[in-house]
Amino acid sequence: MEFLEIESPLRTDKSYRSKTQEEYHKGNSPLELLPIDMIKDVCLDYMHNVCLGVTKRLIEFWVKGKKDVRLIEKINSLPRGLDDIEYYKATELRIFVIHSGLIVLKGNLSKQMYTHFKFFVCALRIVITPDICQTLNNLAQSLLNDLLHLLMYIKVHGGLDSFSYFKYENYLQYINKSIKSVKYPLQEVTNRIIEKRLKHNISPYFCLADRLFENIFIRDLRVTIIINNKCDKCIMLKNNDIVIVNNIVQPQNKLGFKLIVQKCLDSSSLFTEPIVSSIIDLHAVNPIVLSDNFTINISDIKY
């Protein structure tokens, strides 16, 4: 379906409660009893709207659509082939649209379609990034007016991940896999979490009495660093250095954590059109050219 008109007025709390568009309602919502804004406080979720929605539909066109829009070559550089798109989970689609899509599609789509996808990615990366989702909101809207409704929620609630379903969906999967018996489910989950902690190794950056972890959830950033997964161990510091996390350490008898990292010494912008990719913190990095190990604090992390 094509929506040719993008200047229509957005719904408001008043128009919703007065049922200005009766066909949009199926009776009364119990949420109307609450003192909330029924439009601004009940958010669209980009996990369904963007990842399972727009991104999945685009890939379906490229894989199964008419010949003039199909991929030029079959892509085999992803964990799961695009032919399995109907089975893709939201997290796989999120990784594709935010991280890997621009790389694997280059040269495999027509120039026009690739440029269209690049506009989509640039707009999405702007609105998902806390530091620039507000200041570059208008730029995102000019890149992609299809995100019109999401942009309104971002102005009210911040970056997309501050009101997405991903963190809940992801952890439910881990809990489900941890349970083998119905008798003691909480104990089982707790035991599996404890078993995942790393055994101590000898290193000049921590001692045997320190505790080591293979992952850590950063509450303020709403992300998890996983040192055994190369996709989840790369971070950007507040000084804009890009580093690889090798160890997560909790020093003995001390609060807080420290990270043992290496800086990526060879990085550049991935593209310069329609905007310079470094503006949205999208970089091409050589993961082999690294500094020596050094220690940082959790508070040093930007993304």
Side-chain angles (χ1 to χ4, degrees), residues 114-161:
Y114 184 76
T115 299
H116 174 264
F117 181 69
K118 188 188 288 186
F119 272 59
F120 179 50
V121 173
C122 288
L124 185 58
R125 287 186 68 99
I126 287 173
V127 297
I128 207 171
T129 306
D131 281 5
I132 59 175
C133 66
Q134 303 287 2
T135 57
L136 298 183
N137 195 281
N138 290 335
L139 173 59
Q141 185 165 335
S142 68
L143 289 171
L144 191 61
N145 272 307
D146 290 347
L147 286 178
L148 194 65
H149 296 77
L150 280 178
L151 293 168
M152 185 250 317
Y153 291 115
I154 290 156
K155 288 179 179 178
V156 177
H157 301 286
L160 288 180
D161 280 323

Side-chain angles (χ1 to χ4, degrees), residues 8-25:
S8 299
L10 299 180
R11 291 188 179 92
T12 65
D13 182 64
K14 182 178 179 180
S15 69
Y16 179 91
R17 291 178 183 274
S18 62
K19 296 183 173 56
T20 302
Q21 295 171 290
E22 292 186 19
E23 69 278 9
Y24 182 70
H25 298 262

Side-chain angles (χ1 to χ4, degrees), residues 62 67 69-74 105 107-111:
W62 300 331
K67 289 185 178 180
V69 299
R70 284 191 191 178
L71 292 166
I72 296 172
E73 294 183 9
K74 193 169 183 178
L105 291 176
N108 282 312
L109 284 178
S110 70
K111 184 176 180 180

Side-chain angles (χ1 to χ4, degrees), residues 28-201:
N28 297 320
S29 169
L31 296 180
E32 293 181 63
L33 299 174
L34 300 175
I36 62 173
D37 188 311
M38 290 297 295
I39 300 301
K40 292 184 179 180
D41 293 337
V42 183
C43 302
L44 295 177
D45 171 57
Y46 91 100
M47 187 183 84
H48 295 96
N49 191 0
V50 174
C51 300
L52 291 167
V54 175
T55 302
K56 187 174 183 180
R57 179 60 59 88
L58 285 174
I59 296 175
E60 287 173 341
F61 280 133
W62 300 331
V63 173
K64 303 176 182 179
K66 295 180 180 180
K67 289 185 178 180
D68 58 343
V69 299
R70 284 191 191 178
L71 292 166
I72 296 172
E73 294 183 9
K74 193 169 183 178
I75 294 175
N76 298 314
S77 54
L78 293 169
R80 195 205 301 236
L82 293 182
D83 289 339
D84 292 332
I85 181 59
E86 61 184 296
Y87 304 110
Y88 265 47
K89 296 179 180 179
T91 50
E92 294 174 289
L93 291 163
R94 182 182 187 274
I95 290 172
F96 182 87
V97 69
I98 295 177
H99 300 292
S100 59
L102 282 178
I103 305 300
V104 300
L105 291 176
K106 191 171 186 178
N108 282 312
L109 284 178
S110 70
K111 184 176 180 180
Q112 182 183 20
M113 287 192 294
Y114 184 76
T115 299
H116 174 264
F117 181 69
K118 188 188 288 186
F119 272 59
F120 179 50
V121 173
C122 288
L124 185 58
R125 287 186 68 99
I126 287 173
V127 297
I128 207 171
T129 306
D131 281 5
I132 59 175
C133 66
Q134 303 287 2
T135 57
L136 298 183
N137 195 281
N138 290 335
L139 173 59
Q141 185 165 335
S142 68
L143 289 171
L144 191 61
N145 272 307
D146 290 347
L147 286 178
L148 194 65
H149 296 77
L150 280 178
L151 293 168
M152 185 250 317
Y153 291 115
I154 290 156
K155 288 179 179 178
V156 177
H157 301 286
L160 288 180
D161 280 323
S162 65
F163 57 94
S164 83
Y165 291 179
F166 273 108
K167 60 181 178 181
Y168 306 106
E169 295 274 351
N170 291 347
Y171 207 70
L172 282 174
Q173 181 181 4
Y174 174 74
I175 290 175
N176 186 48
K177 289 181 178 179
S178 299
I179 299 173
K180 306 298 181 184
S181 168
V182 296
K183 192 172 183 181
Y184 300 110
L186 292 180
Q187 289 89 330
E188 273 203 289
V189 171
T190 302
N191 289 337
R192 297 296 84 75
I193 292 172
I194 293 173
E195 288 171 3
K196 289 190 69 177
R197 293 174 177 169
L198 288 177
K199 293 182 179 180
H200 293 293
N201 296 307

